[in-house]
Amino acid sequence: MKTRISIVIAAVIGVLIFLSGCHPAARDGTCAGLSMENSTSAGHRLVNFNSDWRFAKGDQPGADAAEFDDSVWQAVRLPHDWAISGPFNPKENGYAGKLPWKGMGWYRKAFTLDKADSGRRVYFDFDGVMAFPKVYVNGQLAGQWDYGYMSFRVDATPYVTFGGTNVIAVQVDTRNHGTRWYPGAGIYRKVTMTVCQPVHVAHWGTFITTPDVSDSSATVRVRTAIENHLYVESEVTVEVVLLDPDGRVVAKGIKNDAIPAGGSCELDQLLMVTNPRLWDITDPKLYTARTIVRMGKKIVDADVTIFGIRTFRFTADDGFHLNGRRVQLYGVNLHHDHGPLGAAFYTRAMERQLEIMREMGINAIRTSHNPPSPELLDLCDRMGFVVWDEAFDKWDDKADRVKGQPPLETYGEKQIRNLVMRDRNHPSIVIWSIGNEIGNQPYDREGKSPERVKFMGDFVRKYDTTRPVGLSCHIPGTADEPILDSLDLTGWNYARRYANYRQHYPDKPIIYSESASTLSTRGFYELPLPNGKTDFSKQLQVDSYDLNSAAWSDIPDVEFKLMEDDDFVAGELVWTGFDYIGEPTPFSQEARSSYFGIVDLCGIPKDRFYLYRSYWRPDVTTVHILPHWNWPDHVGQNVSVFVYTNGDSAELFLNGKSLGRRTKGQMPERPVNFAQGKSATASSIESGNGHVAVNATDADRSTRWCAVDAGAEQWWQVDLGEIQSVCYLAVEFEKEAKNYGYDIKVSTDASTWQSIVTKSTSRFPRWGGPTRIFHEADARARYVRIEFTELQRGTWASICEFGVYPEKVESDYYAVTYKYRLRWNDVVYEHGELKAVAYKDGKKIGQAIMRTAGKPAKIRLTPDRRKLAATGEDLCYILVEAFDSEGTLCPLADNSVRFKVEGPAEIAGVGNGNPLSLEPFQSDSRKLFYGKAMLILRTVDGQAGRVRITAESEDLAPAEVTVRCR
């Protein structure tokens, strides 16, 4: 199919294009001050190039040629991710989602250019192609790019035909792309065609800064790069007009210059804005710069740049300051995929993500770990989020450098130039990041060194000096070397790894660039509660009581406390806001998407969402109960109940009976530790360091017993003083518990010993792991001994604390949860109604109710919006839920639901948040997962009307909902 680009009278299109980018007020007439008089032509058109493509997977010999027959290829509309439709490979590791993203594909599109366009420039701008795209125009290689996440421009002028049919063909090849998650495949972001005069504003050629800002005035510096593609020198006049957030003209400037034939120039102008309205996370005011380029009296180009006026700084001792006040960063990391849509970028999908995150209380986004779509930054500008803009994950094949080529210095500048020039006018961006968790040379061939870090940072500063340059680190020992000297600040990932950096660089700001990595599955609960952060369920789901995390990380409460204690840190960026495809820790072989998200892959909040909101939005009422109240196998047994609230206390009722009031900060009484303060002996003691045997019973985790050497045949023993019931043992080692193999034995007389625990060493988890371990027992003894049988390399027999208890005891790792959650650990389950009434400062602020659901009886459909734009790119997310006959959500329902769509919309994707599901994302049916699923609709370009959506399931009453496309 062909795209026709119509030509209208030059003067009319000049005015229309010019005004189309103004604020509404400007289009109503306040643009009259823009000196449009006597213009004859603007000559600059932007064309959405997303429709009418054809696609074929695999190598297609000859597909670059204009005359190639693509009539049997699949008709597609961009953005397009060829891999998201599957099929899944259940045998493949889930690191990249078990989807067929590796391979080659071709895209082709025919279009026409009017004869009247002859002599103009034609450019194609690709926001993102995964990966290694080669762009052919009429059979000739017009351009290519070598980083799948970066935007690039192709100059098609020498290859196009004016007044005839043209063909653009794009070869995409992901086989050499390296990744740690699902990258997608294809032209997954938008494509734009620009047709303009030979003299025009350069690509990303406007750079706006605000070097001086006060309450009464702001200096706005506008640098404009102009290109001259004529064969003669050209005299140009560049006018810059600034409009305030209401569209009123507030400043103007004009400058002239001569541009040599085939050359370029930069014009630098300073403008003054009085009483500036500042961009802020609470009130993100945006200004507009209109750039008008003239040759004589003729307008040859017009450009629009959105910017903000604000001040910010990162400090070493007082975190982040915005517009003169300290702002604690409550942020999240976001991967680039959109769940069932794959890598295909839709502005509405991104807007919805940010809306959900804002409701939770975030004010900061990290684009982990790659340049984002430009629309993400537009949204952050408009909605009020600060952004950590990241260039790379690693500097190896994850950055599309194949076997170390091209050289990092050459490649790094090429990619960083595009990133910084593209994004530098966004007021939301406050940090440039040159990488994430990069190893150090010489241990990592493509790792960090002082020289590499410096030249990568200098590339950023070459194009923007107004923001700090940093990267995200994970190796504390890096701070012992001068590797990070040239950075303005540093981000650190997990477990207070920034402590060493703080000692070495006390004058440098710190950001907690990845925190938490808590794991959970929406709707899944398992009892008893885990007693260690890596005590995972054998059902391959992760308990939603929010007590599990990755081995190298922590639960949210630990991070809340850490940020309170270390207030010099600018704030935390949680890993992650949303689940994403790939990296399914801890079940990387079985699952296909992550468990990290605060909300699931479809954007349905997990319980954790309300924990964060209760803490990050203390002035907004939150009362949330977990778990669900359908436990038919636990009648008469304990079911732990948690309440997440911004209140300071709550009272819990079961079927109208009070189960007591809990107050944040109140800890339950712990069982006695028979070993605490008791005498201890050991096979040997490390000389000269005071690591004596009694250190393991002194209730001080900073001290320890350590054997004399790394020999495995060591023992440690405690005398409880009298015979006690030994029912639970807690051991904290110097290193991760996986490094120790041992037997634990008990005795009543220190002569006859009975073995009650046997443990071997383990390689799990692969990275990190808990130092604490717990063992259930059933014995009576006075003496308890641990005999080491095996030690991992580099590990000595060494114990920080050894506890002996008469009953099960909760790990003190979870003590911090009582500060931020309200917990009833021993609710005796019975069917009915669970109600929590929350209080703050003695006053009731709200309540939540959880009821036992009956058998699923009906479906409910809830669209996120009912009015859609008929652009072919707008989306509607429809929540699908099962309810019983009384209207109670059925939290265990797993019915299969079929969808029917009538009207101008189509199914873009389906999902349910289950990390294990291998159902296709593109289908007209989906199983409910713990009572919920999601249907995503996409509008049809140019087709308005009513859309009726019907959902049906066997034995359930169907549901219907309508939306309208305009």
Side-chain angles (χ1 to χ4, degrees):
M1 190 174 292
K2 300 179 181 179
T3 299
R4 179 80 177 172
I5 302 171
S6 300
I7 301 295
V8 297
I9 298 173
V12 175
I13 197 169
V15 173
L16 291 178
I17 294 295
F18 189 80
L19 293 181
S20 67
C22 291
H23 289 273
R27 290 195 292 271
D28 289 340
T30 48
C31 277
L34 298 184
S35 302
M36 290 294 293
E37 69 280 4
N38 301 320
S39 63
T40 57
S41 175
H44 182 123
R45 295 195 306 283
L46 297 178
V47 180
N48 183 317
F49 219 62
N50 287 342
S51 63
D52 302 325
W53 288 82
R54 295 212 169 250
F55 169 74
K57 191 173 179 182
D59 191 14
Q60 306 293 327
D64 56 324
E67 62 275 11
F68 181 86
D69 182 6
D70 59 18
S71 60
V72 298
W73 286 16
Q74 178 187 359
V76 299
R77 180 184 177 91
L78 306 183
H80 180 247
D81 175 1
W82 83 56
I84 195 61
S85 59
F88 290 101
N89 181 354
K91 296 181 180 179
E92 185 174 287
N93 185 278
Y95 81 103
K98 299 178 181 284
L99 286 164
W101 64 272
K102 275 200 172 185
M104 185 182 293
W106 279 86
Y107 295 84
R108 288 171 54 88
K109 175 183 170 96
F111 64 100
T112 61
L113 291 168
D114 282 350
K115 189 74 172 178
D117 279 330
S118 182
R120 299 187 182 188
R121 310 295 297 180
V122 179
Y123 302 102
F124 291 107
D125 292 310
F126 293 82
D127 281 356
V129 182
M130 188 62 68
F132 298 99
K134 293 182 178 179
V135 181
Y136 298 87
V137 177
N138 294 331
Q140 300 182 72
L141 181 64
Q144 55 188 318
W145 200 253
D146 49 4
Y147 184 28
Y149 291 108
M150 193 61 244
S151 303
F152 64 97
R153 166 168 279 195
V154 171
D155 184 355
T157 310
Y159 313 105
V160 296
T161 298
F162 295 97
T165 300
N166 298 268
V167 175
I168 181 172
V170 183
Q171 181 198 65
V172 182
D173 189 348
T174 61
R175 291 173 295 178
N176 286 322
H177 176 74
T179 191
R180 298 190 293 143
W181 52 81
Y182 176 70
I187 307 178
Y188 66 97
R189 294 177 184 164
K190 76 175 187 297
V191 179
T192 304
M193 182 173 72
T194 298
V195 181
C196 60
Q197 297 283 4
V199 177
H200 58 82
V201 178
H203 191 218
W204 304 321
T206 301
F207 182 24
I208 301 177
T209 57
T210 54
D212 295 299
V213 178
S214 68
D215 291 340
S216 60
S217 66
T219 300
V220 179
R221 184 183 182 188
V222 182
R223 281 168 276 185
T224 310
I226 308 295
E227 292 181 357
N228 176 18
H229 292 275
L230 297 173
Y231 293 105
V232 295
E233 182 180 84
S234 299
E235 295 278 349
V236 298
T237 299
V238 175
E239 181 179 14
V240 176
V241 182
L242 302 186
L243 292 83
D244 73 5
D246 296 323
R248 292 185 290 265
V249 175
V250 292
K252 291 195 292 186
I254 296 178
K255 203 161 190 178
N256 305 313
D257 205 348
I259 312 176
S264 63
C265 73
E266 182 178 272
L267 292 89
D268 196 342
Q269 303 189 52
L270 293 177
L271 295 89
M272 188 67 66
V273 174
T274 58
N275 301 317
R277 297 160 70 181
L278 302 185
W279 184 93
D280 201 286
I281 56 174
T282 58
D283 191 13
K285 297 298 185 184
L286 294 171
Y287 284 73
T288 301
R290 301 287 306 181
T291 302
I292 308 155
V293 183
R294 293 184 179 86
M295 295 177 64
K297 293 185 177 182
K298 178 182 178 182
I299 294 178
V300 295
D301 202 11
D303 190 37
V304 179
T305 305
I306 307 299
F307 70 100
I309 299 172
R310 84 285 188 258
T311 64
F312 75 90
R313 62 191 178 99
F314 287 90
T315 70
D317 296 321
D318 196 35
F320 175 68
H321 288 242
L322 179 64
N323 297 325
R325 75 186 191 286
R326 189 187 191 282
V327 173
Q328 183 74 12
L329 297 183
Y330 301 131
V332 295
N333 288 262
L334 290 178
H335 261 287
H336 83 132
D337 78 71
H338 287 274
L341 303 176
F345 183 90
Y346 292 88
T347 301
R348 173 55 195 162
M350 190 73 253
E351 181 182 47
R352 175 177 174 266
Q353 282 199 0
L354 294 177
E355 288 170 350
I356 293 169
M357 292 292 97
R358 181 170 60 184
E359 172 62 23
M360 186 177 68
I362 78 159
N363 56 26
I365 298 290
R366 180 182 176 209
T367 67
S368 49
H369 302 290
N370 49 262
S373 171
E375 288 83 0
L376 166 59
L377 302 174
D378 294 338
L379 289 166
C380 289
D381 290 345
R382 177 167 59 84
M383 298 174 72
F385 298 95
V386 296
V387 176
W388 167 305
D389 199 352
E390 193 146 79
F392 303 106
D393 180 21
K394 316 294 186 182
W395 292 341
D396 52 16
D397 63 339
K398 318 303 183 300
D400 286 340
R401 293 180 61 236
V402 182
K403 297 180 180 179
Q405 293 298 319
L408 181 63
E409 191 163 5
T410 303
Y411 185 84
E413 178 166 15
K414 176 182 177 181
Q415 306 301 338
I416 287 174
R417 172 196 177 278
N418 276 25
L419 172 70
V420 178
M421 290 189 68
R422 186 195 73 171
D423 295 350
R424 61 191 177 181
N425 292 318
H426 289 280
S428 56
I429 297 174
V430 295
I431 301 168
W432 299 114
S433 171
I434 58 174
N436 170 69
E437 291 188 351
I438 299 166
N440 297 331
Q441 290 187 338
Y443 312 105
D444 182 344
R445 183 177 178 182
E446 292 300 334
K448 305 188 300 292
S449 68
E451 296 75 22
R452 285 182 147 210
V453 171
K454 186 177 188 307
F455 69 59
M456 293 290 274
D458 286 345
F459 294 150
V460 175
R461 298 182 187 101
K462 181 177 179 179
Y463 301 102
D464 179 28
T465 59
T466 68
R467 299 170 175 89
V469 179
L471 59 73
S472 189
C473 294
H474 68 307
I475 305 172
T478 303
D480 297 331
E481 306 175 52
I483 294 173
L484 306 176
D485 283 1
S486 62
L487 295 176
D488 302 309
L489 54 75
T490 306
W492 287 90
N493 296 351
Y494 308 115
R496 205 175 183 266
R497 291 174 180 165
Y498 53 75
N500 190 42
Y501 179 84
R502 176 70 173 171
Q503 291 183 346
H504 286 276
Y505 297 89
D507 59 339
K508 292 287 185 76
I510 294 172
I511 301 172
Y512 206 17
S513 46
E514 290 180 28
S515 70
S517 272
T518 302
L519 303 163
S520 64
T521 299
R522 177 191 56 78
F524 172 78
Y525 307 94
E526 188 174 65
L527 295 170
L529 298 180
N531 206 23
K533 61 184 181 181
T534 58
D535 291 350
F536 299 119
S537 171
K538 294 180 180 179
Q539 297 187 52
L540 304 180
Q541 302 289 0
V542 183
D543 202 331
S544 198
Y545 277 101
D546 301 324
L547 298 174
N548 290 115
S549 75
W552 58 83
S553 60
D554 289 294
I555 60 174
D557 319 60
V558 171
E559 309 292 37
F560 294 162
K561 180 67 163 57
L562 183 60
M563 291 297 94
E564 291 176 7
D565 293 342
D566 290 350
D567 58 3
F568 57 87
V569 177
E572 63 172 314
L573 301 171
V574 177
W575 191 269
T576 53
F578 273 62
D579 277 340
Y580 54 95
I581 304 175
E583 285 197 311
T585 301
F587 307 118
S588 60
Q589 184 59 47
E590 299 87 355
R592 51 88 168 130
S593 58
S594 81
Y595 300 81
F596 291 116
I598 299 172
V599 302
D600 74 13
L601 196 67
C602 299
I604 304 172
K606 303 179 184 179
D607 295 293
R608 222 182 321 150
F609 174 93
Y610 301 97
L611 178 59
Y612 278 103
R613 192 174 80 161
S614 70
Y615 182 66
W616 284 353
R617 301 188 70 186
D619 297 327
V620 175
T621 298
T622 298
V623 187
H624 177 76
I625 302 175
L626 64 140
H628 60 70
W629 209 237
N630 276 58
W631 296 86
D633 296 334
H634 282 71
V635 174
Q637 302 177 40
N638 284 347
V639 174
S640 297
V641 175
F642 292 1
V643 172
Y644 297 158
T645 178
N646 64 307
D648 50 39
S649 64
E651 187 172 6
L652 189 67
F653 297 85
L654 178 56
N655 294 326
K657 179 181 178 182
S658 176
L659 302 182
R661 188 160 168 171
R662 298 282 190 270
T663 300
K664 289 180 180 178
Q666 290 183 352
M667 289 277 297
E669 188 173 334
R670 291 174 64 83
V672 62
N673 177 5
F674 294 139
Q676 185 174 323
K678 298 301 194 297
S679 63
T681 55
S683 55
S684 65
I685 297 172
E686 183 183 11
S687 61
N689 289 314
H691 298 321
V692 295
V694 292
N695 286 352
T697 60
D698 64 0
D700 183 354
R701 289 159 55 185
S702 67
T703 65
R704 59 188 171 91
W705 161 74
C706 185
V708 69
D709 56 34
E713 295 182 359
Q714 304 284 347
W715 57 265
W716 176 94
Q717 177 178 310
V718 61
D719 180 358
L720 304 181
E722 59 182 303
I723 295 175
Q724 303 282 7
S725 293
V726 178
C727 298
Y728 207 69
L729 302 169
V731 189
E732 181 166 356
F733 296 101
E734 178 189 3
K735 291 187 175 183
E736 293 91 347
K738 66 184 180 183
N739 293 300
Y740 304 88
Y742 52 82
D743 289 329
I744 296 180
K745 300 179 178 180
V746 294
S747 175
T748 57
D749 57 7
S751 176
T752 303
W753 295 90
Q754 174 191 357
S755 180
I756 58 173
V757 173
T758 297
K759 177 190 171 296
S760 59
T761 60
S762 172
R763 295 292 180 183
F764 178 83
R766 183 177 177 185
W767 294 287
T771 56
R772 301 178 185 89
I773 192 167
F774 300 89
H775 299 289
E776 294 185 359
D778 183 14
R780 290 183 58 79
R782 173 175 174 175
Y783 302 93
V784 182
R785 170 192 288 225
I786 180 169
E787 297 179 355
F788 292 90
T789 57
E790 182 184 4
L791 300 170
Q792 303 270 30
R793 188 172 66 177
T795 302
W796 291 19
S798 184
I799 300 173
C800 297
E801 285 297 311
F802 195 99
V804 180
Y805 298 92
E807 60 185 272
K808 183 175 181 179
V809 62
E810 184 176 56
S811 169
D812 58 3
Y813 174 78
Y814 296 116
V816 69
T817 63
Y818 294 91
K819 182 177 181 180
Y820 304 101
R821 319 181 191 193
L822 298 172
R823 298 180 52 176
W824 288 259
N825 296 326
D826 51 2
V827 176
V828 178
Y829 178 78
E830 60 184 55
H831 301 315
E833 180 185 274
L834 196 64
K835 180 172 72 172
V837 180
Y839 300 87
K840 191 171 187 178
D841 298 326
K843 296 180 180 180
K844 178 181 175 180
I845 62 170
Q847 67 180 38
I849 294 174
M850 189 76 70
R851 294 186 176 94
T852 303
K855 182 181 178 181
K858 57 188 175 183
I859 302 170
R860 179 183 294 175
L861 299 179
T862 308
D864 68 334
R865 298 181 303 152
R866 291 182 180 268
K867 295 179 181 179
L868 310 176
T871 60
E873 297 172 11
D874 201 6
L875 304 174
C876 181
Y877 285 78
I878 301 175
L879 180 64
V880 186
E881 299 171 290
F883 287 80
D884 69 8
S885 59
E886 301 298 321
T888 299
L889 177 70
C890 298
L892 303 178
D894 62 355
N895 308 64
S896 182
V897 182
R898 300 177 301 278
F899 305 108
K900 181 180 180 181
V901 178
E902 300 172 276
E906 57 192 6
I907 296 176
V910 291
N912 60 17
N914 182 1
L916 297 173
S917 174
L918 300 184
E919 294 177 273
F921 286 126
Q922 296 186 350
S923 173
D924 63 357
S925 67
R926 194 67 168 187
K927 288 187 67 176
L928 299 176
F929 182 63
Y930 291 110
K932 299 175 185 282
M934 189 69 68
L935 168 67
I936 308 171
L937 295 187
R938 178 175 52 232
T939 62
V940 178
D941 189 12
Q943 296 187 26
R946 180 171 171 266
V947 180
R948 182 171 67 182
I949 304 99
T950 305
E952 298 179 336
S953 181
E954 187 175 353
D955 297 328
L956 300 185
E960 181 180 300
V961 71
T962 60
V963 298
R964 185 166 293 278
C965 302
R966 296 178 178 178

